């Protein structure tokens, strides 16, 4: 099963990708996490991506498409995968088609813009493994320490309020058109993001079975 999670930054795609990964046993692939790792390691691709990411802009399509292509060629994707944060533009969606990848379902997690800023201000990300937390909705067991790997959890640079507004603008301009793209193919289901993570997870898993 090849799945796409669509939604604004902070809508909860990463959290739901993890839930589906556990329920279905297929890997969750976050292009944002792969890019942050590349930036941290100072690879050529990371050096190219850094300034785009810090300003809330999208990394050029050809860079991200290359990364995604390499990742889904790996063995653990043989039985399917969940894409979190890819595609983010219509050309990226078309690139998946050109790779011969059939997408089975696209789940959009919808959260109104005014709630996004509030959510992102509490988001924390693990410096080590990239796991995502929220100070109110999904706290770490020990403050500031990742449950999964024990590394430090920090505020993402692009979660600063001014950058969040830019990211939302980019989302509406470049990514939201993918709703029509996948709706026209009869693949889109929209889940309304709830206050409680567990409620959103239940609706997401129901949407998968529908
Ligand atoms: P995310 O963790 O998904 O919010 O991604 C963080 C940042 O990485 C984004 O604001 C973009 O700068 C970049 N990025 C992640 N995925 C993509 C993508 N599919 N296309 C372009 N840029 C991306």
């Amino acid at each position: 099963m090849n799945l796409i999670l669509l939604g604004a930054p902070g809508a909860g795609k990463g959290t739901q990708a993890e839930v589906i990964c556990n329920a279905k046993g297929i890997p969750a692939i976050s292009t944002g996490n792969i890019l942050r790792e590349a930036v941290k390691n100072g690879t050529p691709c990371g050096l190219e991506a850094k300034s785009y990411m810090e300003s809330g802009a999208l990394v050029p399509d050809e860079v991200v498409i290359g990364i995604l292509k390499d990742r889904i060629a790996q063995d653990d994707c043989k039985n399917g995968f969940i894409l979190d944060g890819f595609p983010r533009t219509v050309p990226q969606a078309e690139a998946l088609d050109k790779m011969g990848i059939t997408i089975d379902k696209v789940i959009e997690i919808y959260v109104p813009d005014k709630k996004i800023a509030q959510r992102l201000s509490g988001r924390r990300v693990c410096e080590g493994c990239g796991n995502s937390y929220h100070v109110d909705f999904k706290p770490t067991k020990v403050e500031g320490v990742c449950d999964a790997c024990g590394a430090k959890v920090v505020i993402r640079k692009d979660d600063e309020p001014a950058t969040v507004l830019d990211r939302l603008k980019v989302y509406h301009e470049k990514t939201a058109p993918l709703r029509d793209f996948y709706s026209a193919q009869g693949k889109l289901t929209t889940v309304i993001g709830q206050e409680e993570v567990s409620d959103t997870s239940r609706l997401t898993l129901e949407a998968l079975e529908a």
Side-chain angles (χ1 to χ4, degrees):
M1 198 185 230
N2 298 332
L3 306 171
I4 290 172
L5 284 176
L6 206 60
K13 298 185 298 294
T15 303
Q16 297 311 323
E18 212 179 295
V19 168
I20 301 172
C21 166
N22 292 333
K24 300 280 173 198
I26 49 176
I29 298 171
S30 155
T31 41
N33 279 355
I34 297 173
L35 286 165
R36 274 184 290 280
E37 188 67 19
V39 171
K40 197 170 85 184
N41 294 332
T43 66
C45 156
L47 292 176
E48 186 173 355
K50 192 169 189 269
S51 59
Y52 294 102
M53 294 174 77
E54 286 183 353
S55 68
L58 293 182
V59 174
D61 283 338
E62 61 275 17
V63 175
V64 193
I65 290 167
I67 288 175
L68 198 271
K69 202 173 181 179
D70 290 347
R71 178 62 189 87
I72 59 181
Q74 289 174 21
D75 250 16
D76 62 338
C77 293
K78 270 197 315 241
N79 297 323
F81 48 77
I82 310 147
L83 299 182
D84 156 16
F86 187 100
R88 254 178 160 101
T89 63
V90 171
Q92 290 180 20
E94 289 167 347
L96 281 175
D97 289 342
K98 282 187 204 129
M99 287 177 219
I101 303 288
T102 305
I103 297 299
D104 299 295
K105 270 191 187 208
V106 179
I107 297 182
E108 178 199 12
I109 304 177
Y110 173 74
V111 174
D113 281 5
K114 57 179 191 283
K115 286 208 167 176
I116 293 285
Q118 175 199 349
R119 285 186 178 208
L120 291 183
S121 65
R123 177 154 80 174
R124 301 290 182 271
V125 172
C126 173
E127 274 185 339
C129 67
N131 264 12
S132 196
Y133 299 93
H134 192 283
V135 289
D136 299 319
F137 309 123
K138 197 189 167 201
T140 51
K141 290 189 183 113
V142 177
E143 200 185 322
V145 178
C146 177
D147 294 351
C149 76
K152 202 164 115 191
V153 296
V154 295
I155 300 177
R156 267 170 55 171
K157 227 180 188 151
D158 60 349
D159 281 347
E160 305 287 346
T163 314
V164 166
L165 292 182
D166 289 338
R167 290 166 70 202
L168 280 172
K169 191 162 170 268
V170 167
Y171 176 75
H172 290 295
E173 277 175 21
K174 306 262 175 66
T175 309
L178 289 173
R179 284 201 297 247
D180 287 344
F181 184 92
Y182 286 115
S183 177
Q185 298 179 13
K187 291 178 179 169
L188 183 76
T189 307
T190 298
V191 165
I192 309 287
Q194 306 290 308
E195 291 295 328
E196 290 291 329
V197 172
S198 57
D199 289 334
T200 310
S201 301
R202 180 176 43 77
L203 294 173
T204 302
L205 291 173
E206 279 170 17
L208 269 188
E209 303 307 332

